[in-house]
């Protein structure tokens, strides 16, 4: 049962959403887009990387070997393989990541975080964490954090 479903007569013909549903949808879009844009701008201005680059590099750094198969990294980064290939090409040109062939699968490649990439990531991390805290975590009252996390997990699962 959806929490925001209005009676049919409350829906507007233009978009089929009731007043509260439309307000919720627009607030969702504004909150997620503005926060993502702000985090992206901070990382790009200070370190020349995007938030998507940061996330890919963070996944590589979290691996004990600092490397992941491209297909695995695409899954973790929630992007298509072609979009990840484009991103890795850019990171490779910047010297932040390199590709290594997979010995067991001649068609496969690993994305590997370089020393330079690890250094940029280490410098970017406090800026990114501060932005996430200020823009998201500090805005969620502790008494609703678990509930909001459960709702977001539910939305993510329904969207897969």
């Amino acid at each position: 049962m959806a929490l925001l479903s209005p009676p049919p007569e409350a829906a507007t013909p233009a978009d089929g959403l009731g007043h509260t549903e439309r307000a919720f949808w627009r607030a969702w879009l504004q909150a997620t887009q503005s926060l993502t844009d702000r985090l992206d701008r901070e990382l790009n201005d200070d370190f020349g990387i995007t938030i998507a680059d940061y996330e890919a590099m963070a996944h590589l750094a979290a691996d004990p070997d600092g490397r992941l198969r491209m297909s695995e990294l695409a899954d973790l980064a929630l992007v298509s393989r072609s979009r990840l290939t484009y991103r890795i090409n850019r990171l490779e040109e910047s010297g932040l990541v390199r590709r290594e062939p997979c010995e067991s699968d001649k068609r496969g490649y690993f994305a590997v975080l370089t020393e330079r990439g690890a250094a940029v990531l280490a410098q970017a991390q406090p800026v990114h964490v501060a932005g996430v805290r200020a823009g998201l975590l500090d805005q969620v009252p502790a008494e609703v954090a678990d509930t909001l996390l459960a709702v977001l997990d539910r939305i993510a699962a329904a969207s897969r």
Side-chain angles (χ1 to χ4, degrees):
M1 170 157 161
L3 295 175
L4 299 175
S5 294
E9 63 274 5
T12 62
D15 63 10
L17 298 175
H19 176 75
T20 302
E21 288 175 322
R22 187 179 322 98
F24 183 85
W25 174 241
R26 292 185 193 270
W28 169 269
L29 290 176
Q30 184 178 8
T32 56
Q33 191 63 52
S34 61
L35 177 58
T36 302
D37 288 349
R38 187 177 119 216
L39 295 172
D40 198 49
R41 201 171 33 256
E42 289 172 354
L43 289 171
N44 197 20
D45 289 351
D46 293 348
F47 307 101
I49 60 174
T50 66
I51 191 169
D53 296 338
Y54 177 91
E55 289 297 324
M57 293 166 59
H59 286 300
L60 293 173
D63 183 78
D65 297 323
R67 60 189 238 155
L68 292 167
R69 286 186 63 113
M70 293 284 286
S71 57
E72 185 179 2
L73 182 55
D75 291 343
L76 290 170
L78 305 173
V79 297
S80 67
R81 289 186 173 108
S82 62
R83 186 170 294 214
L84 179 71
T85 297
Y86 174 76
R87 182 168 300 137
I88 295 300
N89 286 344
R90 284 189 7 266
L91 291 170
E92 200 169 28
E93 289 170 7
S94 300
L96 304 174
V97 170
R98 71 176 181 277
R99 264 184 267 242
E100 291 180 356
C102 178
E103 294 297 322
S104 62
D105 177 3
K106 297 300 179 193
R107 295 175 299 152
Y109 281 87
F110 287 98
V112 182
L113 190 63
T114 64
E115 278 187 39
R116 182 167 183 258
V120 168
L121 185 64
Q123 292 173 332
Q125 185 180 30
V127 172
H128 177 68
V129 169
V132 169
R133 286 194 189 286
L136 177 65
L137 302 176
D138 292 348
Q139 307 309 315
V140 178
E143 61 273 11
V144 299
D146 288 339
T147 301
L148 183 56
L149 178 58
V151 169
L152 292 173
D153 283 345
R154 184 175 174 180
I155 291 168
S159 299
R160 285 188 199 105

